[in-house]
Amino acid sequence: MQPSRILVGVSGGVAAFKACLLVRRLRRDGHEVRVILTRSAARFVGAPTFHALTSHRVYDDMWDPSAAEGGEPHVDLSAWADAAIVYPATADLVARVASGRSDDLLAATLLCLERPLVVCPAMHARMYRNFFFGEALKKLRLGGVTVLEAEVGELASGEVGEGRLPEPDAAVEALYTRMTAKDLGGLRILVTAGPTREHLDPVRFLSNPSTGKMGYAVARMALRRGARVSLVTGPTDLVPPRGAEVERVESAAQMAAAVHRAYEGCDAVVMCAAVADFAPAEVSPRKVHKTGGPVSVELRPTEDILRSLGERKGHRVLVGFAMETDDLEGSARRKRAAKNLDLVVGNDVTTQGAGFGTDTNVVILIGATGTIERLPRLPKEEVAHRILDRVAALAAERRS
Ligand code: CTP
Protein backbone atom coordinates (compact mmCIF):
# COMPACT_ATOMS: atom_id res chain seq x y z
CA MET A 1 0.00 0.00 0.00
CA GLN A 2 1.13 3.51 -0.80
CA PRO A 3 1.70 5.50 2.40
CA SER A 4 -1.67 7.13 3.05
CA ARG A 5 -3.49 9.24 5.62
CA ILE A 6 -5.72 6.94 7.62
CA LEU A 7 -8.34 8.11 10.07
CA VAL A 8 -9.12 5.59 12.84
CA GLY A 9 -12.36 6.01 14.77
CA VAL A 10 -12.60 4.15 18.06
CA SER A 11 -15.95 3.74 19.80
CA GLY A 12 -16.60 2.44 23.28
CA GLY A 13 -16.54 -1.33 23.55
CA VAL A 14 -14.32 -3.75 25.45
CA ALA A 15 -12.57 -4.57 22.15
CA ALA A 16 -11.27 -0.97 21.95
CA PHE A 17 -7.91 -2.22 23.24
CA LYS A 18 -7.38 -3.96 19.88
CA ALA A 19 -7.41 -0.54 18.21
CA CYS A 20 -3.92 0.05 19.69
CA LEU A 21 -2.61 -2.91 17.70
CA LEU A 22 -4.44 -1.75 14.58
CA VAL A 23 -2.86 1.70 14.81
CA ARG A 24 0.55 0.17 15.39
CA ARG A 25 0.22 -2.02 12.30
CA LEU A 26 -0.89 0.95 10.17
CA ARG A 27 2.08 3.00 11.38
CA ARG A 28 4.44 0.10 10.71
CA ASP A 29 3.06 -0.04 7.16
CA GLY A 30 4.14 3.59 6.71
CA HIS A 31 0.83 5.45 7.04
CA GLU A 32 0.06 8.66 8.85
CA VAL A 33 -2.68 7.95 11.37
CA ARG A 34 -5.08 10.23 13.26
CA VAL A 35 -7.38 8.83 15.94
CA ILE A 36 -10.81 10.04 16.95
CA LEU A 37 -12.09 8.65 20.26
CA THR A 38 -15.72 8.77 21.31
CA ARG A 39 -16.38 9.68 24.96
CA SER A 40 -17.18 6.08 25.84
CA ALA A 41 -14.08 4.77 23.99
CA ALA A 42 -11.94 6.94 26.27
CA ARG A 43 -13.33 4.93 29.23
CA PHE A 44 -11.71 1.82 27.76
CA VAL A 45 -8.42 3.16 26.29
CA GLY A 46 -6.96 6.55 27.13
CA ALA A 47 -5.91 9.24 24.65
CA PRO A 48 -2.24 9.15 25.81
CA THR A 49 -1.92 5.62 24.43
CA PHE A 50 -3.04 6.66 20.95
CA HIS A 51 -1.01 9.85 21.22
CA ALA A 52 2.11 7.76 21.78
CA LEU A 53 1.24 5.32 18.99
CA THR A 54 0.45 7.97 16.36
CA SER A 55 2.97 10.64 17.46
CA HIS A 56 0.06 13.02 17.10
CA ARG A 57 -2.64 14.53 19.24
CA VAL A 58 -5.85 12.55 19.67
CA TYR A 59 -9.22 14.01 18.74
CA ASP A 60 -12.01 13.52 21.26
CA ASP A 61 -13.86 16.79 21.48
CA MET A 62 -16.04 18.46 18.87
CA TRP A 63 -15.83 21.75 20.74
CA ASP A 64 -12.07 22.01 21.16
CA PRO A 65 -10.95 24.84 18.83
CA SER A 66 -7.31 23.67 18.99
CA ALA A 67 -8.39 20.43 17.22
CA ALA A 68 -9.01 22.29 13.96
CA GLU A 69 -6.36 23.31 11.45
CA GLY A 70 -8.19 26.56 10.91
CA GLY A 71 -11.77 25.52 10.28
CA GLU A 72 -13.92 22.99 12.13
CA PRO A 73 -12.42 19.71 13.40
CA HIS A 74 -14.89 17.39 11.62
CA VAL A 75 -14.47 19.23 8.30
CA ASP A 76 -10.68 19.32 8.55
CA LEU A 77 -10.30 15.68 9.60
CA SER A 78 -12.63 14.34 6.90
CA ALA A 79 -10.77 16.35 4.24
CA TRP A 80 -7.38 15.20 5.57
CA ALA A 81 -8.13 11.45 5.39
CA ASP A 82 -7.51 9.24 2.35
CA ALA A 83 -9.62 6.55 4.04
CA ALA A 84 -11.19 5.82 7.41
CA ILE A 85 -11.85 2.79 9.57
CA VAL A 86 -13.99 2.50 12.70
CA TYR A 87 -12.56 -0.22 14.90
CA PRO A 88 -14.45 -1.28 16.95
CA ALA A 89 -17.85 0.13 15.99
CA THR A 90 -20.49 -0.15 18.71
CA ALA A 91 -24.20 -0.66 17.96
CA ASP A 92 -24.72 2.95 18.99
CA LEU A 93 -22.11 4.28 16.57
CA VAL A 94 -23.52 2.14 13.70
CA ALA A 95 -27.04 3.41 14.44
CA ARG A 96 -25.88 7.03 14.55
CA VAL A 97 -23.94 6.80 11.27
CA ALA A 98 -26.83 4.96 9.57
CA SER A 99 -29.27 7.69 10.55
CA GLY A 100 -27.00 10.54 9.48
CA ARG A 101 -26.43 11.87 12.99
CA SER A 102 -23.56 14.21 13.80
CA ASP A 103 -23.79 14.42 17.56
CA ASP A 104 -20.13 13.87 18.37
CA LEU A 105 -16.84 14.42 16.57
CA LEU A 106 -16.60 10.88 15.15
CA ALA A 107 -20.16 10.81 13.77
CA ALA A 108 -19.85 14.34 12.35
CA THR A 109 -16.51 13.51 10.68
CA LEU A 110 -17.92 10.34 9.10
CA LEU A 111 -20.94 12.26 7.85
CA CYS A 112 -18.56 14.70 6.17
CA LEU A 113 -16.25 11.99 4.77
CA GLU A 114 -16.21 11.36 1.00
CA ARG A 115 -13.47 8.72 1.06
CA PRO A 116 -13.55 4.91 1.57
CA LEU A 117 -14.91 3.89 4.95
CA VAL A 118 -14.64 0.50 6.65
CA VAL A 119 -16.73 -0.20 9.75
CA CYS A 120 -15.94 -3.13 12.07
CA PRO A 121 -18.80 -3.81 14.45
CA ALA A 122 -18.27 -5.69 17.73
CA MET A 123 -20.77 -6.36 20.49
CA HIS A 124 -22.60 -9.09 22.38
CA ALA A 125 -24.16 -11.76 20.15
CA ARG A 126 -27.72 -10.80 21.12
CA MET A 127 -27.10 -7.18 20.08
CA TYR A 128 -25.41 -8.35 16.89
CA ARG A 129 -28.48 -10.40 15.96
CA ASN A 130 -30.91 -7.62 16.87
CA PHE A 131 -33.30 -6.64 14.07
CA PHE A 132 -32.79 -2.87 14.42
CA PHE A 133 -29.02 -3.22 14.47
CA GLY A 134 -29.21 -5.44 11.36
CA GLU A 135 -31.26 -2.78 9.57
CA ALA A 136 -28.71 -0.10 10.47
CA LEU A 137 -25.90 -2.28 9.12
CA LYS A 138 -27.80 -2.81 5.85
CA LYS A 139 -28.15 0.96 5.52
CA LEU A 140 -24.40 1.42 5.92
CA ARG A 141 -23.78 -1.04 3.10
CA LEU A 142 -26.35 0.67 0.91
CA GLY A 143 -24.53 3.92 1.56
CA GLY A 144 -21.28 2.47 0.21
CA VAL A 145 -19.64 1.62 3.52
CA THR A 146 -17.61 -1.61 3.72
CA VAL A 147 -18.73 -3.62 6.74
CA LEU A 148 -16.29 -6.17 8.13
CA GLU A 149 -18.56 -8.80 9.65
CA ALA A 150 -17.88 -9.70 13.27
CA GLU A 151 -16.55 -13.19 13.97
CA VAL A 152 -17.94 -16.05 15.99
CA GLY A 153 -15.73 -16.47 19.03
CA GLU A 154 -15.24 -15.72 22.69
CA LEU A 155 -17.03 -12.50 23.68
CA ALA A 156 -16.23 -10.10 26.52
CA SER A 157 -18.83 -11.87 28.68
CA GLY A 158 -16.98 -15.17 28.26
CA GLU A 159 -19.83 -16.61 26.17
CA VAL A 160 -19.13 -17.84 22.68
CA GLY A 161 -21.11 -16.30 19.82
CA GLU A 162 -21.19 -13.91 16.91
CA GLY A 163 -20.01 -10.38 17.63
CA ARG A 164 -16.29 -10.74 18.26
CA LEU A 165 -14.08 -8.07 16.69
CA PRO A 166 -11.85 -9.54 13.93
CA GLU A 167 -8.13 -9.26 14.67
CA PRO A 168 -6.30 -6.09 13.52
CA ASP A 169 -4.67 -7.82 10.53
CA ALA A 170 -8.10 -8.80 9.14
CA ALA A 171 -9.36 -5.23 9.59
CA VAL A 172 -6.28 -3.77 7.88
CA GLU A 173 -6.76 -6.22 5.00
CA ALA A 174 -10.41 -5.11 4.63
CA LEU A 175 -9.27 -1.48 4.58
CA TYR A 176 -6.51 -2.08 2.01
CA THR A 177 -8.89 -4.13 -0.13
CA ARG A 178 -11.34 -1.24 -0.12
CA MET A 179 -8.56 1.20 -1.05
CA THR A 180 -7.19 -0.90 -3.96
CA ALA A 181 -8.26 -0.54 -7.62
CA LYS A 182 -9.95 -3.71 -8.93
CA ASP A 183 -7.85 -4.42 -12.04
CA LEU A 184 -8.24 -8.22 -11.59
CA GLY A 185 -12.05 -8.04 -11.36
CA GLY A 186 -13.71 -10.87 -13.30
CA LEU A 187 -10.68 -13.18 -13.08
CA ARG A 188 -10.59 -16.42 -11.12
CA ILE A 189 -7.08 -17.20 -9.94
CA LEU A 190 -5.94 -20.49 -8.49
CA VAL A 191 -3.02 -20.13 -6.06
CA THR A 192 -1.14 -22.96 -4.38
CA ALA A 193 0.96 -22.42 -1.27
CA GLY A 194 3.04 -24.10 1.39
CA PRO A 195 4.80 -27.45 1.55
CA THR A 196 3.42 -30.94 1.11
CA ARG A 197 4.01 -33.81 3.53
CA GLU A 198 4.69 -37.34 2.35
CA HIS A 199 4.09 -39.77 5.17
CA LEU A 200 6.33 -42.77 5.86
CA ASP A 201 4.11 -43.88 8.70
CA PRO A 202 1.54 -42.10 10.95
CA VAL A 203 4.26 -40.26 12.91
CA ARG A 204 6.87 -39.41 10.25
CA PHE A 205 6.87 -37.55 6.98
CA LEU A 206 9.19 -36.06 4.34
CA SER A 207 8.66 -32.35 3.74
CA ASN A 208 10.47 -29.05 3.16
CA PRO A 209 10.78 -25.72 5.01
CA SER A 210 8.18 -23.80 2.97
CA THR A 211 5.98 -21.62 5.22
CA GLY A 212 3.47 -20.59 2.54
CA LYS A 213 4.24 -16.86 2.86
CA MET A 214 4.75 -16.27 -0.87
CA GLY A 215 1.57 -18.08 -1.91
CA TYR A 216 -0.53 -16.45 0.80
CA ALA A 217 0.81 -13.03 -0.28
CA VAL A 218 -0.23 -13.75 -3.89
CA ALA A 219 -3.71 -14.86 -2.74
CA ARG A 220 -4.14 -11.78 -0.51
CA MET A 221 -2.98 -9.30 -3.15
CA ALA A 222 -5.15 -10.94 -5.83
CA LEU A 223 -8.18 -10.58 -3.54
CA ARG A 224 -7.32 -6.95 -2.89
CA ARG A 225 -7.24 -6.38 -6.64
CA GLY A 226 -10.68 -7.89 -7.13
CA ALA A 227 -9.93 -11.45 -8.31
CA ARG A 228 -11.86 -14.47 -7.09
CA VAL A 229 -9.26 -16.67 -5.48
CA SER A 230 -9.08 -20.43 -4.89
CA LEU A 231 -6.26 -21.22 -2.48
CA VAL A 232 -4.99 -24.79 -2.29
CA THR A 233 -2.68 -24.89 0.69
CA GLY A 234 -0.36 -27.38 2.26
CA PRO A 235 0.11 -27.32 6.06
CA THR A 236 1.11 -23.84 7.32
CA ASP A 237 0.61 -21.69 10.42
CA LEU A 238 -0.77 -18.82 8.35
CA VAL A 239 -4.37 -17.62 8.47
CA PRO A 240 -5.95 -17.84 4.98
CA PRO A 241 -7.25 -14.49 3.72
CA ARG A 242 -10.97 -13.82 4.09
CA GLY A 243 -12.78 -14.14 0.82
CA ALA A 244 -10.60 -16.94 -0.63
CA GLU A 245 -12.08 -20.38 -1.30
CA VAL A 246 -9.65 -22.47 0.68
CA GLU A 247 -8.83 -26.15 0.30
CA ARG A 248 -6.36 -27.61 2.77
CA VAL A 249 -4.30 -30.59 1.65
CA GLU A 250 -1.37 -32.52 3.01
CA SER A 251 0.31 -34.68 0.36
CA ALA A 252 1.38 -33.98 -3.23
CA ALA A 253 -1.32 -36.41 -4.43
CA GLN A 254 -4.01 -34.50 -2.50
CA MET A 255 -2.68 -31.20 -3.86
CA ALA A 256 -2.80 -32.58 -7.40
CA ALA A 257 -6.41 -33.71 -6.96
CA ALA A 258 -7.50 -30.33 -5.51
CA VAL A 259 -5.69 -28.36 -8.22
CA HIS A 260 -7.18 -30.45 -11.05
CA ARG A 261 -10.67 -29.92 -9.56
CA ALA A 262 -10.25 -26.14 -9.44
CA TYR A 263 -8.45 -25.87 -12.80
CA GLU A 264 -11.53 -26.04 -15.06
CA GLY A 265 -13.07 -22.79 -13.92
CA CYS A 266 -9.98 -20.66 -13.52
CA ASP A 267 -8.30 -18.05 -15.73
CA ALA A 268 -4.84 -18.15 -14.16
CA VAL A 269 -2.75 -20.37 -11.90
CA VAL A 270 0.10 -19.19 -9.69
CA MET A 271 1.79 -22.33 -8.44
CA CYS A 272 3.80 -21.22 -5.39
CA ALA A 273 3.59 -24.51 -3.46
CA ALA A 274 6.79 -26.39 -2.73
CA VAL A 275 5.44 -29.74 -3.86
CA ALA A 276 7.45 -32.80 -2.85
CA ASP A 277 9.05 -34.40 -5.89
CA PHE A 278 9.21 -37.84 -4.24
CA ALA A 279 7.00 -39.78 -1.86
CA PRO A 280 7.65 -43.09 -0.09
CA ALA A 281 6.60 -45.98 -2.30
CA GLU A 282 4.92 -47.62 0.69
CA VAL A 283 3.23 -45.93 3.63
CA SER A 284 3.09 -48.04 6.76
CA PRO A 285 -0.31 -47.82 8.48
CA ARG A 286 1.47 -48.38 11.85
CA LYS A 287 4.50 -46.71 13.40
CA VAL A 288 7.73 -48.28 12.14
CA HIS A 289 9.97 -49.15 15.11
CA LYS A 290 13.75 -48.95 14.95
CA THR A 291 15.73 -52.15 14.79
CA GLY A 292 19.21 -50.71 15.40
CA GLY A 293 20.26 -51.26 11.80
CA PRO A 294 20.21 -48.86 8.83
CA VAL A 295 16.91 -48.14 7.14
CA SER A 296 16.32 -47.53 3.47
CA VAL A 297 13.16 -46.09 1.99
CA GLU A 298 12.15 -46.46 -1.60
CA LEU A 299 10.88 -43.16 -3.04
CA ARG A 300 8.71 -42.78 -6.12
CA PRO A 301 8.26 -39.55 -8.09
CA THR A 302 5.05 -37.64 -7.44
CA GLU A 303 2.98 -36.12 -10.22
CA ASP A 304 4.49 -32.91 -11.60
CA ILE A 305 1.26 -30.97 -11.20
CA LEU A 306 2.32 -27.90 -13.14
CA ARG A 307 3.53 -29.97 -16.07
CA SER A 308 0.11 -31.67 -16.25
CA LEU A 309 -1.60 -28.27 -16.17
CA GLY A 310 0.69 -27.03 -18.95
CA GLU A 311 -0.37 -29.95 -21.15
CA ARG A 312 -4.01 -28.76 -21.15
CA LYS A 313 -3.53 -25.07 -20.72
CA GLY A 314 -6.20 -23.62 -23.05
CA HIS A 315 -6.70 -19.88 -22.48
CA ARG A 316 -5.23 -19.92 -18.98
CA VAL A 317 -2.24 -17.96 -17.74
CA LEU A 318 0.22 -20.31 -16.02
CA VAL A 319 2.84 -19.09 -13.57
CA GLY A 320 5.37 -21.38 -11.91
CA PHE A 321 8.29 -20.98 -9.56
CA ALA A 322 11.83 -22.26 -9.90
CA MET A 323 13.64 -22.48 -6.60
CA GLU A 324 17.31 -23.11 -7.24
CA THR A 325 20.75 -23.21 -5.69
CA ASP A 326 22.77 -23.15 -8.96
CA ASP A 327 22.32 -21.81 -12.48
CA LEU A 328 19.12 -19.96 -11.58
CA GLU A 329 18.53 -18.43 -14.98
CA GLY A 330 19.23 -21.59 -16.99
CA SER A 331 17.07 -23.82 -14.76
CA ALA A 332 14.25 -21.29 -14.71
CA ARG A 333 14.27 -21.06 -18.51
CA ARG A 334 14.26 -24.86 -18.85
CA LYS A 335 11.33 -25.21 -16.42
CA ARG A 336 9.34 -22.51 -18.21
CA ALA A 337 9.69 -24.31 -21.53
CA ALA A 338 9.22 -27.85 -20.14
CA LYS A 339 6.00 -26.95 -18.30
CA ASN A 340 4.56 -24.63 -20.98
CA LEU A 341 4.46 -21.64 -18.59
CA ASP A 342 3.67 -18.02 -19.42
CA LEU A 343 5.89 -16.83 -16.63
CA VAL A 344 8.46 -18.40 -14.39
CA VAL A 345 9.49 -16.77 -11.12
CA GLY A 346 13.01 -17.85 -10.25
CA ASN A 347 14.76 -17.44 -6.96
CA ASP A 348 18.06 -18.62 -5.59
CA VAL A 349 17.48 -19.86 -2.05
CA THR A 350 21.11 -19.21 -1.14
CA THR A 351 20.60 -15.44 -1.66
CA GLN A 352 20.06 -13.47 1.54
CA GLY A 353 16.44 -12.34 1.89
CA ALA A 354 15.14 -14.94 -0.58
CA GLY A 355 13.45 -18.28 -0.19
CA PHE A 356 11.77 -20.22 2.61
CA GLY A 357 10.23 -18.42 5.57
CA THR A 358 11.53 -14.92 4.82
CA ASP A 359 9.26 -11.87 4.50
CA THR A 360 11.17 -10.77 1.41
CA ASN A 361 12.19 -12.40 -1.83
CA VAL A 362 14.74 -11.75 -4.57
CA VAL A 363 13.40 -13.04 -7.88
CA ILE A 364 13.81 -12.99 -11.62
CA LEU A 365 10.79 -13.07 -13.91
CA ILE A 366 11.11 -14.82 -17.27
CA GLY A 367 8.23 -14.66 -19.73
CA ALA A 368 7.42 -16.70 -22.82
CA THR A 369 9.44 -14.36 -25.08
CA GLY A 370 12.52 -15.08 -22.99
CA THR A 371 12.94 -11.54 -21.67
CA ILE A 372 14.20 -11.44 -18.13
CA GLU A 373 13.31 -8.94 -15.39
CA ARG A 374 15.51 -8.91 -12.31
CA LEU A 375 13.74 -7.55 -9.25
CA PRO A 376 15.61 -6.24 -6.22
CA ARG A 377 14.95 -7.59 -2.72
CA LEU A 378 11.28 -6.78 -2.08
CA PRO A 379 8.62 -7.69 0.49
CA LYS A 380 6.76 -10.82 -0.66
CA GLU A 381 3.59 -8.71 -1.00
CA GLU A 382 5.38 -6.49 -3.54
CA VAL A 383 6.73 -9.52 -5.42
CA ALA A 384 3.14 -10.79 -5.50
CA HIS A 385 2.00 -7.52 -7.07
CA ARG A 386 4.68 -7.73 -9.77
CA ILE A 387 3.60 -11.27 -10.63
CA LEU A 388 -0.06 -10.23 -10.67
CA ASP A 389 0.75 -7.24 -12.92
CA ARG A 390 2.05 -9.77 -15.47
CA VAL A 391 -0.99 -12.02 -14.96
CA ALA A 392 -3.34 -9.05 -15.49
CA ALA A 393 -1.57 -8.05 -18.73
CA LEU A 394 -1.50 -11.62 -20.10
CA ALA A 395 -5.15 -12.26 -19.21
CA ALA A 396 -6.15 -9.01 -20.93
CA GLU A 397 -4.20 -10.09 -24.08
CA ARG A 398 -5.97 -13.49 -24.08
CA ARG A 399 -9.37 -11.84 -23.77
CA SER A 400 -8.85 -9.37 -26.62
N1 CTP B 1 5.75 -28.37 -9.05
C1 CTP B 1 4.60 -29.11 -9.28
N2 CTP B 1 4.57 -30.43 -8.97
C2 CTP B 1 5.66 -31.05 -8.48
C3 CTP B 1 6.85 -30.31 -8.27
C4 CTP B 1 6.86 -28.97 -8.56
O1 CTP B 1 3.61 -28.54 -9.73
N3 CTP B 1 5.60 -32.35 -8.19
C5 CTP B 1 5.76 -26.95 -9.39
C6 CTP B 1 6.13 -26.02 -8.24
O2 CTP B 1 4.99 -25.59 -7.54
C7 CTP B 1 6.83 -24.88 -8.95
C8 CTP B 1 7.43 -25.52 -10.18
O3 CTP B 1 6.75 -26.75 -10.35
O4 CTP B 1 5.92 -23.89 -9.36
C9 CTP B 1 8.91 -25.80 -10.10
O5 CTP B 1 9.20 -26.52 -8.95
P1 CTP B 1 10.68 -26.92 -8.57
O6 CTP B 1 10.64 -27.79 -7.36
O7 CTP B 1 11.58 -25.72 -8.56
O8 CTP B 1 11.14 -27.74 -9.83
P2 CTP B 1 10.90 -29.19 -10.28
O9 CTP B 1 9.98 -29.15 -11.43
O10 CTP B 1 10.50 -30.02 -9.12
O11 CTP B 1 12.32 -29.59 -10.85
P3 CTP B 1 13.68 -30.01 -10.10
O12 CTP B 1 13.30 -30.87 -8.95
O13 CTP B 1 14.42 -30.71 -11.17
O14 CTP B 1 14.35 -28.73 -9.69
Side-chain angles (χ1 to χ4, degrees):
M1 283 302 298
Q2 292 293 339
S4 307
R5 298 194 288 207
I6 311 286
L7 187 67
V8 177
V10 185
S11 57
V14 177
F17 73 94
K18 287 188 181 174
C20 304
L21 302 172
L22 177 97
V23 168
R24 201 187 191 120
R25 160 82 198 269
L26 291 171
R27 294 276 290 157
R28 210 184 294 135
D29 287 355
H31 306 297
E32 255 188 89
V33 179
R34 301 279 180 270
V35 172
I36 303 180
L37 286 183
T38 63
R39 261 174 63 178
S40 48
R43 290 174 174 259
F44 290 95
V45 191
T49 305
F50 290 110
H51 184 178
L53 292 171
T54 58
S55 307
H56 201 274
R57 63 161 299 165
V58 172
Y59 301 89
D60 51 9
D61 185 359
M62 179 114 135
W63 307 108
D64 174 5
S66 70
E69 309 277 314
E72 299 155 284
H74 62 292
V75 177
D76 290 350
L77 283 164
S78 57
W80 170 86
D82 294 318
I85 180 165
V86 184
Y87 182 90
T90 57
D92 179 64
L93 193 275
V94 169
R96 286 191 292 126
V97 174
S99 49
R101 298 264 297 272
S102 59
D103 46 359
D104 69 2
L105 181 58
L106 180 55
T109 306
L110 297 180
L111 195 61
C112 219
L113 185 82
E114 291 181 330
R115 295 288 164 82
L117 170 61
V118 175
V119 165
C120 311
M123 60 205 67
H124 188 272
R126 288 201 294 278
M127 291 169 87
Y128 198 75
R129 280 198 306 266
N130 176 278
F131 171 80
F132 300 107
F133 170 72
E135 291 300 299
L137 217 51
K138 268 190 213 159
K139 255 182 156 179
L140 290 197
R141 288 200 182 95
L142 272 175
V145 174
T146 297
V147 174
L148 180 65
E149 291 283 355
E151 290 175 351
V152 175
E154 194 177 5
L155 306 171
S157 61
E159 295 161 80
V160 173
E162 201 177 6
R164 184 185 163 87
L165 186 67
E167 295 306 308
D169 284 347
V172 168
E173 201 50 46
L175 177 68
Y176 291 173
T177 300
R178 177 64 200 264
M179 294 169 73
T180 304
K182 302 290 174 263
D183 65 334
L184 298 178
L187 291 185
R188 180 177 270 284
I189 303 184
L190 168 60
V191 182
T192 66
T196 62
R197 288 178 181 171
E198 310 305 327
H199 274 271
L200 294 148
D201 69 12
V203 299
R204 302 184 183 89
F205 54 76
L206 302 173
S207 192
N208 60 66
S210 170
T211 56
K213 282 183 179 172
M214 190 65 243
Y216 277 59
V218 172
R220 238 184 6 262
M221 297 309 112
L223 284 164
R224 277 191 203 170
R225 292 168 67 162
R228 287 192 296 155
V229 172
S230 303
L231 175 64
V232 177
T233 175
T236 82
D237 292 334
L238 303 176
V239 180
R242 274 191 183 214
E245 264 173 41
V246 181
E247 181 147 5
R248 294 175 194 275
V249 297
E250 200 174 6
S251 65
Q254 289 168 357
M255 181 163 283
V259 166
H260 288 305
R261 270 197 302 277
Y263 194 49
E264 283 313 312
C266 75
D267 303 292
V269 180
V270 185
M271 189 86 196
C272 304
V275 187
D277 289 317
F278 305 98
E282 305 239 330
V283 183
S284 165
R286 308 204 153 268
K287 183 178 173 187
V288 177
H289 291 282
K290 57 183 175 292
T291 56
V295 176
S296 57
V297 177
E298 189 190 338
L299 298 175
R300 298 224 174 111
T302 57
E303 175 185 337
D304 187 328
I305 305 169
L306 201 45
R307 189 185 281 264
S308 318
L309 301 184
E311 283 163 8
R312 50 187 191 99
K313 184 157 107 171
H315 71 288
R316 298 176 195 83
V317 176
L318 275 193
V319 181
F321 275 69
M323 205 175 216
E324 310 295 339
T325 53
D326 325 272
D327 185 23
L328 172 63
E329 197 181 320
S331 298
R333 282 185 193 286
R334 279 191 292 280
K335 284 179 190 176
R336 195 212 63 73
K339 303 189 187 196
N340 194 17
L341 305 179
D342 296 288
L343 184 70
V344 63
V345 183
N347 63 353
D348 183 334
V349 279
T350 61
T351 307
Q352 215 194 350
F356 293 129
T358 53
D359 289 324
T360 57
N361 214 345
V362 187
V363 304
I364 56 171
L365 303 179
I366 302 177
T369 56
T371 51
I372 179 163
E373 186 183 356
R374 293 175 200 281
L375 299 181
R377 181 152 66 97
L378 292 171
K380 282 185 171 164
E381 293 193 346
E382 188 52 38
V383 174
H385 275 309
R386 304 293 182 97
I387 296 167
L388 291 169
D389 288 346
R390 297 287 200 100
V391 170
L394 287 161
E397 260 174 41
R398 304 262 149 101
R399 278 173 172 174
S400 62

